[in-house]
Each structure stands twice: as C-alpha cells, then as structure tokens.
Amino acid sequence: MALRVYNTLSARKEEFVPLTPGEVKMYVCGVTVYDHSHIGHARANVVFDVIYRYLRTRYAVTYVRNYTDIDDKIINRANKEGVTYDVISERYIRAFDEDMERLGLVKPTIEPKATEHIGEIIAIVQRLIDKGFAYPAGGDVYFCVEKFDSYLKLSKRNLDEMQAGARIEVDERKRHPMDFALWKEAKPGEPFWDSPWGKGRPGWHIECSAMSMKYLGESFDIHGGGKDLIFPHHENEIAQSEAANGKPFVKYWLHNGFVNINAEKMSKSLGNFFTIKEVLEKYDPEVLRFFLLSAHYRSPLDFSDQNLAEAGAGLERIYSALAAIARFDGEMAGDDVPAGTEAERELHEKLGGFMGRFEQAMDDDFNTAQSLGIVFELIRAVNRVLTEDGGESVAARAMFAAVRKAVAGVGEVLGVFTSEPGAYLERIKGRKVAGMEMSAAEIEQLIEERAAARAAKNFARSDEIRDYLLSRSILLLDGPQGTTWKVK
RNA sequence: GGCGGCGUAGCCAAGUGGUAAGGCAGAGCUCUGCAAAAGCUCCAUUCAGCGGUUCAAAUCCGCUCGCCGCCUCCA
C-alpha cells in the first residue's frame, strides 16, 4: 500500500511520491538554542524521528535538522549573562543533544549550524537583491513580499487581511509592512559577520533556506516543523527560496500539533511549559516517548500527570507480557507449526496480520496511535496463550519468538520497546522505589517472612504483611516461581 | 476582525461514506488459602446540537453552540 501524507500546502492527504525514485530528502527545523528544550520540542523531534525511521525502511533518506545558533534571543541571553553568544548556543546545543539522546532519537544525517553557513546566506541574499526580490535599507536587507506572487500560499492568508490585523511595529525603511529581514545590521556590541551591506547577521528565516539548499538541493521532498512555524517562518522560507531559485522549494510540508497544558498551548510566553529535563526526572524517557506517540502527530496532545501515568501503565503492560515470554527460548518455525488451541489460533492470526496492519497504520499519515493499538491487540493474544495454555507448546514457543521479532521491528520504527523487558521493568520499579520510604531490601525481607507464615498456614500474619505493604503502595504477586512485587 | 483546526464512553484515543480499534479506570467470572497479576465476559444503538445529501454518514454539505491555534518570538 502506498504511503499517504498530509501536506499543509495542499491542505489534504496526498500519496507520497519522492522527487527522485527511491530517495527522500527531508529537512526539519530544529531549535533556536537559547534555553533548555521543553516537551513541545520533544514532541516535534520525536514525531519527525519516527517519520524518518519509517521512511528509512523504504527509501534512502537524507535527513537534515539544523541548529539556529544566532538570533536575537541568544544575544539577549548572552548579554544578560555577560558572555558571548556562542557560549549560550554551545551550552544549549549540548543540552538539546543530551535530551534527544535520552529520548532515543537517531541522529539526523546532517545537523548544520546557521553560523557555519554565513557565506551561503550572503550569496542567497545577494541573488535576491540582483533579481529584484530584496532591497538593502541602511545596513539591513529586506525581502519584498509584494514581488513574490504566491506569498502566503502555505498559511492561506492574503496580504491585505494580514495588514488589517497586524500588530507589528512597522519599520520606516520597509517598503511594505510585511517585508521581512534577510540580513540585520549589527548594533554596537552585537556579534557580526562582514557582508556587502556592512557588519551584520542573518535574519531569522534565511538560514533554513541556505542550509536546506546546500544539503538537499533547490527542490526537495519533505520539510517539517511545528504548526507554529507555518507562519511566518516557513512562509518566508518558501518566498526566499523560490524567488532565488525560480523553482518549487518543497513538495510536502508536514507540521506537528502542539503539546497543551489544560487545553492551552505550551509555550515560553505563557510560562506553562515543562522542560524535557524536568519531566525525565519523574518519568522514564520511554514512557514520555510512548505518550508522545499515543496521539496522531497532527492532533493536539494534552500533557498531564494522569496522561503520563496512563501511558506508563500501558507500556508496562506490554513489557510485562514480553518479559513473560522471554523465558521461552523457542525457535522461529515459520507458519507451518499447527496452532492447537483457540488461543493459539488467535495469536497465530494476530501475528500473521501484524506487520501488514502496522504498515497500513503508518502509511496513513504516520498513524502511531493506531499502530500502538495493533501492538496491544497482539499482546492480549500473547497473554491469552500464556494463561490458558501455559505457552509450553512448540507452536506457542515458535509464535512467541515471532512476537519478539515483530515487536522489535515495530519498536525500531517507533523507538519504543527497545529495552530488554526484564531490565525495563526493573528500571521502572527502581524509579518508583527511589521515591519511597522503604528500601527494596526491607520489602524482600517482609516477603520472606510472609512466605514462612504462608508455609505455616498462618494466613492472618501473611495477609497482615501483604496489607501493610499495600498501604505502602507495594503490590505482591504470587506466582509459581515464588512471590514478586511491584510498586503500584 | 481575518484565516485555520477541534468537539468520539468516566478519562486518553483511532476511525474521514458501509454500519464505533486500542489503552486507562470500573463490574462479574476463572485462577488463588484469601488476594494481586493475567485471561474471559461486560462497559458508546452511538460519535457537541440541529437540519440536509445518500440505499448507507462519526465520516460529505449547511447552520448553531463550545474549545483551541495562527495572524508577534514560538516545536
């Protein structure tokens, strides 16, 4: 089945056909590095990480994700701290890289920095001036939006209406209020690069045009970012790039939805944001990732403790099942092992359609929420075989091996289920225990005491211990191999 | 004011013309000394509301209500 993606430019789902068969060139706007990244950044980056991972299974993908390492906010922060701009940008590039690594993102093919492409930026600005799309004004250079006919085709607005609602301070040197800066003259004390228009630095949007053009060419397949970048950032990128090159810039524009807090957008200006660092102190990175993929990437996603806890419960259910089948070291035996019981037949059926259904979900505009539902269905079938038949049969063992392989395959695309199941469960347990007043050793000791009481049929004492532990959120699980415990 | 999106069970969330996935929570049963976990069964005659198109609509169209986003830096 063919991959279909929602293209912001056409405002609908389209079949994905790369410009060059077999190859995909993809650019995603990274972060402006002036502070720690928050959950909204986590979502955008995880979403495009999954898109990249999925595309990789079918195409030779070149994935570029930039760092915008020169900008007003970086300069402001540097001034506040009394350091140079690059101290700030380097610090937060490291912080971003750390966050992304913890969230299990694969590295893009290329991670260029704006400041390393000043020459390319100047060349484009010059070309735009030569072609009459831009004009110098003082030490600034502006892009002339009226010269670019299809301006606002991505955000689907029109210039006149924009003016009516605009609250921007109009610079006298601009010919049209919506003209935007390609190059900004350096004020005293600001970092600068030499240019034909004097000392200055790039405007906000031009760096993405320069870097995408350099690494992916004048026309490429996919450009991504958060919904809030549609205007003005991506709109202006289109204007600059298409005016300079005289050809279509990007074929498919993909935009992810916001992370909300109480149904409101998480943002710096509202002050209602959580940094990735803070959240990872409380939740396992894989739980956060699982949560971010539990909704379709274009939908808004409400961030709350309850929702994170639910994601954690779901992920734990999957890992528990994987841990339960880990002890069966069955071999892959193909489809020819006859399934005996009804539960085995059900598992066989779920297993047979699994990868196809997963791909179908992902082919429909990267529907990760649906794909997780498919995983849960498989897991239930596994658990059923486990409880009803014990999972000892040759057929069951063979299917368990296939389940492990299938889940690993899905995990490779989604970037979850990548831990060894037992290790994951221990990790989660350890995280919960760390926040409690009881140590694991104390718990183990009480469990031993309870085992002795049970052996002596002293159920009153046995239950007393269990209730006591339960009051401390410790749940006991009696199994054939003895008693284990987990934190509620 | 302009443009855009969303509203599916107690909660989260798929489904965009063919008769409501999945998860969390909850109830009953099996298992168990009793529990827990797991499994099984149940849990939306209905998709914000009202009209319309259609053999058929949560899905298409119109209107109403509610929420949100962009138009200023933002993932």
Side-chain angles (χ1 to χ4, degrees):
Chain A
M1 193 188 144
L3 171 63
R4 290 170 62 78
V5 301
Y6 182 86
N7 187 353
T8 305
L9 194 58
S10 64
R12 58 185 197 210
K13 281 186 201 170
E14 298 175 27
E15 185 176 336
F16 179 75
V17 182
L19 294 169
T20 305
E23 290 178 24
V24 174
K25 312 257 186 231
M26 156 172 171
Y27 186 95
V28 172
C29 288
V31 282
T32 298
V33 281
Y34 71 101
D35 202 353
H36 286 290
S37 301
H38 59 64
I39 300 303
H41 299 111
R43 183 179 194 193
N45 284 285
V46 165
V47 158
F48 286 103
D49 179 58
V50 170
I51 289 173
Y52 171 48
R53 285 164 180 259
Y54 189 60
L55 290 171
R56 267 199 321 191
T57 65
R58 296 185 186 172
Y59 304 98
V61 187
T62 307
Y63 176 26
V64 178
R65 185 185 64 205
N66 72 290
Y67 299 101
T68 295
D69 61 345
I70 181 68
D71 144 285
D72 288 354
K73 279 180 293 206
I74 296 170
I75 294 170
N76 288 344
R77 177 108 192 200
N79 288 149
K80 212 189 299 179
E81 294 190 21
V83 296
T84 53
Y85 83 94
D86 54 314
V87 170
I88 300 298
S89 60
E90 278 169 25
R91 180 199 301 161
Y92 291 111
I93 283 172
R94 270 201 306 278
F96 176 84
D97 287 347
E98 235 170 70
D99 287 342
M100 294 307 122
E101 196 190 329
R102 292 184 70 190
L103 288 174
L105 274 78
V106 296
K107 280 284 197 186
T109 319
I110 304 163
E111 297 177 274
K113 294 172 188 158
T115 55
E116 291 172 358
H117 298 79
I118 301 294
E120 288 88 340
I121 288 169
I122 289 172
I124 296 172
V125 175
Q126 188 59 55
R127 199 174 345 154
L128 287 169
I129 293 172
D130 294 345
K131 286 189 162 193
F133 284 105
Y135 55 93
D140 293 350
V141 180
Y142 293 102
F143 185 89
C144 189
V145 295
E146 285 172 309
K147 288 270 171 62
F148 186 69
D149 290 338
S150 59
Y151 191 59
L152 304 180
K153 67 179 168 186
L154 184 67
S155 54
K156 290 152 188 66
R157 305 158 202 263
N158 71 64
L159 267 183
D160 300 333
E161 281 162 3
M162 296 284 294
Q163 269 181 273
R167 283 175 284 161
I168 45 171
E169 214 174 290
V170 179
D171 191 310
E172 286 302 312
R173 293 174 299 180
K174 287 186 185 178
R175 293 181 189 166
H176 185 282
M178 292 303 293
D179 287 354
F180 57 90
L182 297 169
W183 188 262
K184 292 172 133 177
E185 180 177 19
K187 296 189 194 96
E190 284 184 351
F192 63 84
W193 287 263
D194 287 315
S195 81
W197 318 284
K199 298 178 190 310
R201 64 191 148 89
W204 174 32
H205 319 289
I206 193 72
E207 85 281 14
C208 285
S209 289
M211 290 184 274
S212 60
M213 204 183 296
K214 175 169 181 182
Y215 298 107
L216 302 176
E218 296 182 344
S219 295
F220 57 95
D221 301 291
I222 294 176
H223 193 129
K227 270 191 160 77
D228 45 3
L229 294 181
I230 295 172
F231 184 89
H233 187 55
H234 290 162
E235 200 71 71
N236 291 353
E237 276 187 56
I238 292 174
Q240 297 160 346
S241 304
E242 297 193 349
N245 300 324
K247 56 176 76 165
F249 179 42
V250 168
K251 192 168 182 190
Y252 304 98
W253 285 92
L254 271 44
H255 293 97
N256 66 276
F258 300 133
V259 175
N260 290 163
I261 299 284
N262 295 323
E264 277 192 323
K265 179 184 171 184
M266 179 184 291
S267 76
K268 288 266 159 112
S269 43
L270 284 171
N272 61 347
F273 63 92
F274 295 96
T275 64
I276 295 170
K277 252 185 182 42
E278 312 180 287
V279 172
L280 292 187
E281 278 170 24
K282 205 166 169 190
Y283 298 97
D284 189 87
E286 211 170 327
V287 170
L288 176 56
R289 189 165 173 124
F290 186 86
F291 165 71
L292 293 172
L293 297 178
S294 69
H296 183 91
Y297 78 91
R298 283 187 285 117
S299 308
L301 180 63
D302 221 63
F303 183 85
S304 70
D305 274 324
Q306 192 194 334
N307 291 349
L308 262 289
E310 280 185 11
L315 185 58
E316 193 167 332
R317 176 178 155 85
I318 292 168
Y319 269 122
S320 296
L322 292 177
I325 61 172
R327 62 193 172 89
F328 297 99
D329 50 352
E331 310 252 316
M332 292 284 287
D335 286 334
D336 48 358
V337 177
T341 66
E342 199 195 312
E344 284 177 355
R345 275 196 298 276
E346 189 194 326
L347 178 55
H348 187 263
E349 189 197 315
K350 292 285 182 202
L351 207 41
F354 185 74
M355 284 317 283
R357 292 179 69 205
F358 172 70
E359 287 187 28
Q360 206 167 27
M362 293 301 286
D363 276 346
D364 185 11
D365 198 26
F366 312 106
N367 196 332
T368 55
Q370 190 170 53
S371 71
L372 291 177
I374 293 162
V375 173
F376 276 114
E377 283 184 45
L378 182 68
I379 291 301
R380 190 182 49 206
V382 166
N383 281 330
R384 190 175 170 195
V385 170
L386 236 27
T387 40
E388 293 186 5
D389 311 331
E392 299 286 354
S393 74
V394 175
R397 286 163 171 268
M399 287 192 289
F400 289 162
V403 166
R404 281 196 291 271
K405 194 178 169 206
V407 173
V410 165
E412 192 144 322
V413 171
L414 300 180
V416 289
F417 321 134
T418 49
S419 306
E420 192 279 305
Y424 176 83
L425 295 173
E426 280 305 310
R427 200 165 88 207
I428 290 295
K429 196 176 183 178
R431 185 179 273 274
K432 288 171 174 169
V433 170
M436 299 191 328
E437 64 270 37
M438 284 183 86
S439 70
E442 288 174 278
I443 294 164
E444 306 285 358
Q445 201 185 327
L446 282 168
I447 288 174
E448 269 180 46
E449 192 187 331
R450 174 166 169 273
R454 290 181 74 204
K457 302 238 185 281
N458 182 358
F459 295 120
R461 177 58 187 151
S462 152
D463 289 351
E464 190 187 349
I465 292 169
R466 188 175 64 205
D467 291 344
Y468 171 75
L469 288 172
L470 187 61
S471 74
R472 296 277 191 284
S473 293
I474 309 295
L475 225 51
L476 297 189
L477 291 81
D478 292 335
Q481 271 87 25
T483 301
T484 57
W485 59 279
K486 60 188 254 181
V487 185
K488 208 173 165 183

